[in-house]
Amino acid sequence: MKGIQLFCFLVMVLLIVIACGKEEPMEMLSIDETPYVLEYGNLPPPDLPTDNALTEQGVKLGRMLFYEKMLSKDGTQSCASCHNQADGFSDSLQFSIGIEMLPGTRQAMSVFNMAWNSNEFFWDGRAHLLRDQSLLPIQDPLEMNETLENVVSKLGESQTYKDQFVRAFGSEEVNPEKISLAMEQFMLSIVSSNSKYDQFLVGEAEFTESEERGRLLFETEYNPFFPDQSGADCAHCHGGANFENDLYMNNGLDLDADFLDIGREMVTQDISDKAKFKVPTLRNIEVTAPYMHDGRFETLEEVVDQYNLHVQQSSTLDPSLIQVVDNGGLNLSQQDKTDLINFLKTLTDQEFLSNPQYSNPF
């Protein structure tokens, strides 16, 4: 009897040894071209790049890179450091502080609804495509202050990243082009389209009396000859579904003698572009302070007051604002200003600001 028990015990030990000795099969990695389904609510269909189709794995890699601190020289900052989701993927500081503790020269622009931007990137439009934009902050001495060569080297030492490059692009080779394409995919996937305003459009929310008055003021043109019928004319520059016009304009912040930043002219070398800057979206404007290219205004009240009373005449001032200057301002009452700001706050998309699809994946 004892012999049988000993035999059974030895068989069990042998089976355990054999089982333990079996190696788990290695995952066979290959490119995964499953399309990324972009949800954009009632926004018009975007014109996405045909040479960089959004895929689940490409967007995933781009998201990893967006939050990856290895992209900076000292490993302390990522793109998300200056483009915080809770702040509408912008920076609450007037000027972002880079790894060398040096401030930038312009306020960090919001990074969302980039799929509806078709006219260059940055305040001055110096980057033609979003993929071009993605690499410039990495190399900027005032920002992440790193070389692309070093970024490629650091990412190439990570098996996690090499595996993800295989899934996204079919090869574990890391290079600047793939980095830029992946980051472009992720930024194109960041969409805000479910604000109270969007819900109002489809009958799922109602505006207060003040919000509705603000909406009418926003959409009504300025008419100095009929003050009772005159509006704030905001939609002239911030129109359409994304509340912007994709143009570069001088909105009357300064006189010619006070221009400290020549804006678009730096890129085009055309004097008619002096002090013109990209017109940003007003979506989520409530949470993206400070405002303007130089972050000079801390509140929406200051912004409205600027357009109401303080538009400055200059050589490149947008024609739509010349008559505002000539006629002493928009003549908005305190109630008008309150109503207008209340409407602007309906453009805040709370779901977007906390959407886990866009959050830090690490």
Side-chain angles (χ1 to χ4, degrees):
M1 191 68 177
K2 289 182 179 180
I4 295 175
Q5 290 177 333
L6 179 60
F7 175 80
C8 291
F9 173 77
L10 292 174
V11 170
M12 289 177 61
V13 170
L14 181 61
L15 291 174
I16 292 173
V17 170
I18 293 174
C20 292
K22 290 183 178 179
E23 295 184 0
E24 291 293 323
M26 294 183 63
E27 179 186 3
M28 297 298 293
L29 294 179
S30 62
I31 190 170
D32 181 350
E33 298 180 296
T34 303
Y36 180 89
V37 179
L38 188 68
E39 297 181 0
Y40 47 88
N42 289 309
L43 291 174
D47 186 15
L48 297 172
T50 57
D51 62 345
N52 188 27
L54 273 61
T55 66
E56 289 186 0
Q57 297 301 329
V59 169
K60 179 180 179 180
L61 174 58
R63 179 183 172 194
M64 293 166 64
L65 292 169
F66 190 86
Y67 285 92
E68 180 53 70
K69 294 182 178 181
M70 279 196 290
L71 270 58
S72 65
K73 183 177 181 179
D74 62 359
T76 62
Q77 291 189 352
S78 67
C79 301
S81 298
C82 301
H83 297 281
N84 179 36
Q85 182 177 3
D87 297 320
F89 283 100
S90 66
D91 197 336
S92 60
L93 296 176
Q94 180 179 14
F95 302 118
S96 301
I97 305 299
I99 66 163
E100 308 294 347
M101 301 308 296
L102 298 172
T105 59
R106 294 173 181 156
Q107 219 278 321
M109 298 190 81
S110 298
V111 179
F112 65 86
N113 290 5
M114 295 289 97
W116 289 268
N117 184 319
S118 59
N119 188 19
E120 327 291 0
F121 296 88
F122 289 113
W123 283 108
D124 58 13
R126 64 185 181 275
H128 179 53
L129 298 174
L130 192 54
R131 66 193 69 170
D132 304 322
Q133 179 278 331
S134 70
L135 298 179
L136 294 181
I138 297 172
Q139 304 167 82
D140 192 323
L142 297 179
E143 298 186 60
M144 301 164 85
N145 197 23
E146 182 58 290
T147 66
L148 295 181
E149 181 181 11
N150 285 344
V151 169
V152 168
S153 177
K154 287 186 284 188
L155 295 177
E157 294 175 357
S158 165
Q159 190 61 50
T160 297
Y161 272 109
K162 288 194 291 185
D163 289 350
Q164 192 56 36
F165 273 91
V166 172
R167 298 184 187 100
F169 296 110
S171 165
E172 67 177 24
E173 178 193 4
V174 179
N175 61 43
E177 180 183 16
K178 290 180 181 179
I179 292 171
S180 69
L181 292 175
M183 292 182 70
E184 179 179 73
Q185 286 195 41
F186 173 62
M187 288 188 281
L188 289 173
S189 79
I190 304 175
V191 176
S192 176
S193 63
N194 193 31
S195 65
K196 183 177 181 179
Y197 171 80
D198 296 299
Q199 295 165 13
F200 165 80
L201 290 181
V202 295
E204 296 177 356
E206 293 184 3
F207 280 170
T208 65
E209 182 178 347
S210 177
E211 291 167 346
E212 178 60 15
R213 277 199 78 240
R215 182 183 71 83
L216 294 175
L217 283 167
F218 185 95
E219 296 176 352
T220 303
E221 293 186 0
Y222 172 64
N223 190 336
F225 305 107
F226 297 92
D228 292 341
Q229 301 173 29
S230 182
D233 203 9
C234 307
H236 178 84
C237 302
H238 297 283
N242 201 38
F243 290 86
E244 46 85 19
N245 61 10
D246 218 14
L247 300 177
Y248 299 84
M249 304 173 74
N250 175 353
N251 62 343
L253 293 175
D254 299 300
L255 299 169
D256 285 82
D258 298 325
F259 290 160
L260 298 178
D261 188 336
I262 63 174
R264 182 68 169 159
E265 183 190 7
M266 188 178 297
V267 176
T268 65
Q269 299 299 304
D270 185 341
I271 194 170
S272 67
D273 285 331
K274 186 182 294 291
K276 290 184 179 181
F277 297 91
K278 187 84 165 182
V279 176
T281 178
L282 294 186
R283 284 182 173 272
N284 299 298
I285 193 70
E286 180 184 8
V287 300
T288 58
Y291 306 108
M292 305 299 169
H293 69 277
D294 55 6
R296 68 177 66 185
F297 299 132
E298 295 182 1
T299 67
L300 287 175
E301 285 77 10
E302 291 178 274
V303 173
V304 173
D305 279 339
Q306 161 66 23
Y307 288 113
N308 189 39
L309 293 173
H310 304 300
V311 176
Q312 302 296 307
Q313 180 64 270
S314 64
S315 58
T316 57
L317 178 67
D318 188 76
S320 67
L321 291 171
I322 292 177
Q323 65 172 341
V324 175
V325 176
D326 291 344
N327 290 281
L330 294 172
N331 297 311
L332 299 177
S333 67
Q334 184 58 52
Q335 187 61 56
D336 289 339
K337 292 187 287 185
T338 297
D339 294 339
L340 189 58
I341 290 171
N342 284 340
F343 168 69
L344 291 175
K345 290 180 179 179
T346 71
L347 304 181
T348 304
D349 183 347
Q350 295 294 343
E351 180 183 53
F352 157 75
L353 296 174
S354 59
N355 190 331
Q357 286 181 252
Y358 312 135
S359 64
N360 191 336
F362 300 114

